[in-house]
Amino acid sequence: MKLTRLLPLAAIALASCTQKPAATTSETPAASPMIGTWKLVSAVTVTKGDTVKDYPVPNQEMLKILNDTHFAFMRHDLSKGKGKDATYTAGGGTYDFKGDKYTEHLAYLNAREWEGRDFDFTVMFKGDTLIQKGIEKIDSLNIDHEIIETYVKQK
């Protein structure tokens, strides 16, 4: 008699030990679409209604690299610093990204007067393409323009 009363309790205890964990604990969050290495393919600057195509530039390339918290970019000439068109630009910092809003907190740049500033952008993804659009405004440097940059994700 005692055994028949314990059997249902044992069955309940056994069933509770074999339940699968909740789905939320076993799923890994999806990676942000921002994360990766991006190659600049086009850049346009609009200042007071005047549009200037800034990129591509012959003999130059630029990459932007983003991880979960930081971004970095490098732009250089392909002639290894030789010649009249030698150039090198690099910068980086942290960023925030939510929805289509992307803010760069620029901590490092070879043009040091740009450091310590935030720049707000709207981003759009089309397959492996990232389009970044926003205002760069620094009153003390007389900078006030819109940029539109198009990047392609590198494999």
Side-chain angles (χ1 to χ4, degrees), residues 14-77:
L14 183 61
S16 68
C17 291
T18 59
Q19 288 181 338
K20 293 180 182 176
T24 55
T25 59
S26 64
E27 292 178 4
T28 54
S32 168
M34 294 294 285
I35 295 173
T37 300
W38 300 88
K39 185 173 185 176
L40 184 65
V41 295
S42 172
V44 172
T45 300
V46 181
T47 307
K48 296 180 182 174
D50 292 328
T51 301
V52 175
K53 187 174 182 178
D54 298 315
Y55 198 89
V57 174
N59 196 40
Q60 287 187 16
E61 71 179 5
M62 178 174 160
L63 292 177
K64 180 180 268 192
I65 302 167
L66 293 106
N67 66 20
D68 288 334
T69 57
H70 289 76
F71 73 96
F73 59 88
M74 291 88 38
R75 181 173 175 170
H76 74 139
D77 62 88

Side-chain angles (χ1 to χ4, degrees), residues 62-137:
M62 178 174 160
L63 292 177
K64 180 180 268 192
I65 302 167
L66 293 106
N67 66 20
D68 288 334
T69 57
H70 289 76
F71 73 96
F73 59 88
M74 291 88 38
R75 181 173 175 170
H76 74 139
D77 62 88
L78 299 176
S79 56
K80 303 195 183 285
K82 308 277 191 246
K84 64 180 173 83
D85 296 326
T87 188
Y88 185 79
T89 303
T94 60
Y95 73 92
D96 298 312
F97 172 61
K98 184 167 182 150
D100 67 347
K101 303 302 179 203
Y102 169 64
T103 300
E104 292 182 344
H105 310 287
L106 190 61
Y108 312 100
L109 188 65
N110 58 307
R112 305 299 291 269
E113 62 275 12
W114 285 62
E115 293 180 347
R117 302 178 192 276
D118 296 342
F119 299 96
D120 297 316
F121 302 99
T122 301
V123 294
M124 179 176 33
F125 298 92
K126 292 182 178 180
D128 65 350
T129 301
L130 162 65
I131 301 167
Q132 174 180 324
K133 180 178 181 178
I135 303 294
E136 291 181 330
K137 183 173 174 60

